[in-house]
């Protein structure tokens, strides 16, 4: 959670200085962070992961943040099509067993998420009519994923990031739905009446 909070603080700072809409700046920072992540994952630096895990985590989180930003900035030039989807899936599968998978996922996984969200074949873009579950997924996601990893260690089950996502996501979504209907929606209704 801590690196994510710093990412939000960074987004706020970039917004104040109008750098979030500067395509060249965002693209340059994104490329530099990807190169940095590549060197870290290949142990180019001297054991930096054990020296400062926070730097490693926030580096990859910022890549994910900026990947979404860049997709939005270049939305008129990036097509939602099956060819890019296939390329993204192939790249993620090819790099899955390599050390550089985390930032590869930040690039191609971001496109995959956007494709699923906006493709006309799946029609998830109307999903929000059932409620806004994004905040609940953000709040409960970290704890449920960490609990899944802890249980896998306790019961000696091999669990990587992908298996964790498959196992955790339905539970996270359930908690997010309950949170929306039991807490968030009611709170928003109360506050809107007093504004």
């Amino acid at each position: 959670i801590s690196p994510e909070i710093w990412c939000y603080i960074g987004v706020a700072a970039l917004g104040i200085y109008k750098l979030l809409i500067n395509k060249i700046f965002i693209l340059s920072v994104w490329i530099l962070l990807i190169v940095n992540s590549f060197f870290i994952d290949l142990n180019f630096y001297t054991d930096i992961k054990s020296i400062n895990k926070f730097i490693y985590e926030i580096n990859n989180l910022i890549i994910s943040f900026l990947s979404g930003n860049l997709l939005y900035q270049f939305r008129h030039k990036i097509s939602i099509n099956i060819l890019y989807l296939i390329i993204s899936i192939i790249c993620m599968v090819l790099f899955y067993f390599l050390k550089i998978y985390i930032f590869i996922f930040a690039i191609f996984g971001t496109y995959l998420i956007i494709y699923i969200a906006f493709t006309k074949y799946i029609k998830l873009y109307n999903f929000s009519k059932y409620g806004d579950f994004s905040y609940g997924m953000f709040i409960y996601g970290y704890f449920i994923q960490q609990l899944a990893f802890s249980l896998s260690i306790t019961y000696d089950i091999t669990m990587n990031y992908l298996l964790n996502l498959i196992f955790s996501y339905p539970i996270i979504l359930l908690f997010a739905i309950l949170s929306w209907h039991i807490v968030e929606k009611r709170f928003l209704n109360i506050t809107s009446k007093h504004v």
Side-chain angles (χ1 to χ4, degrees):
I1 295 284
S2 177
E4 292 177 359
I5 291 172
W6 280 106
C7 282
Y8 281 114
I9 293 170
V11 166
L14 290 173
I16 290 170
Y17 291 103
K18 301 187 186 312
L19 291 173
L20 277 177
I21 56 174
N22 187 323
K23 295 178 183 178
I24 302 303
F25 174 79
I26 296 296
L27 185 60
S28 300
V29 172
W30 183 73
I31 291 170
L32 285 172
L33 290 174
I34 284 176
V35 171
N36 187 48
S37 182
F38 180 78
F39 285 142
I40 292 173
D41 284 334
L42 293 181
N43 292 321
F44 186 81
Y45 304 126
T46 307
D47 202 21
I48 194 169
K49 282 192 223 180
S50 61
I51 294 171
N52 199 331
K53 188 179 177 183
F54 178 83
I55 291 175
Y56 178 73
E57 288 178 352
I58 201 165
N59 186 90
N60 288 322
L61 275 173
I62 293 171
I63 290 172
S64 298
F65 263 69
L66 297 185
S67 294
N69 180 286
L70 287 169
L71 276 179
Y72 179 77
Q73 299 252 29
F74 292 97
R75 63 192 180 280
H76 301 300
K77 296 183 179 181
I78 300 174
S79 302
I80 303 296
N81 65 54
I82 195 73
L83 176 61
Y84 291 165
L85 173 68
I86 292 169
I87 291 171
S88 296
I89 292 171
I90 289 171
C91 287
M92 286 193 294
V93 170
L94 287 176
F95 288 99
Y96 179 75
F97 296 102
L98 300 179
K99 291 182 178 181
I100 57 176
Y101 180 73
I102 291 176
F103 79 80
I104 289 296
F105 183 82
I107 298 169
F108 297 103
T110 302
Y111 181 83
L112 180 62
I113 291 167
I114 296 299
Y115 180 91
I116 292 170
F118 292 103
T119 181
K120 61 184 179 181
Y121 301 111
I122 302 176
K123 296 184 179 179
L124 282 180
Y125 43 80
N126 287 326
F127 189 70
S128 60
K129 71 180 181 182
Y130 301 107
D132 184 359
F133 310 131
S134 58
Y135 184 72
M137 293 183 75
F138 171 73
I139 292 296
Y140 304 113
Y142 175 81
F143 300 103
I144 293 171
Q145 287 180 306
Q146 293 304 307
L147 179 60
F149 273 126
S150 297
L151 289 173
S152 70
I153 293 169
T154 302
Y155 293 101
D156 197 27
I157 300 169
T158 302
M159 180 177 284
N160 56 30
Y161 290 106
L162 184 60
L163 285 176
N164 184 286
L165 178 65
I166 293 168
F167 175 80
S168 302
Y169 184 78
I171 301 169
I172 294 167
L173 182 59
L174 175 63
F175 272 78
I177 291 170
L178 291 173
S179 178
W180 170 255
H181 288 290
I182 296 172
V183 180
E184 297 165 46
K185 183 169 71 172
R186 295 183 181 187
F187 181 79
L188 289 172
N189 287 338
I190 292 170
T191 54
S192 64
K193 291 175 183 177
H194 291 85
V195 174

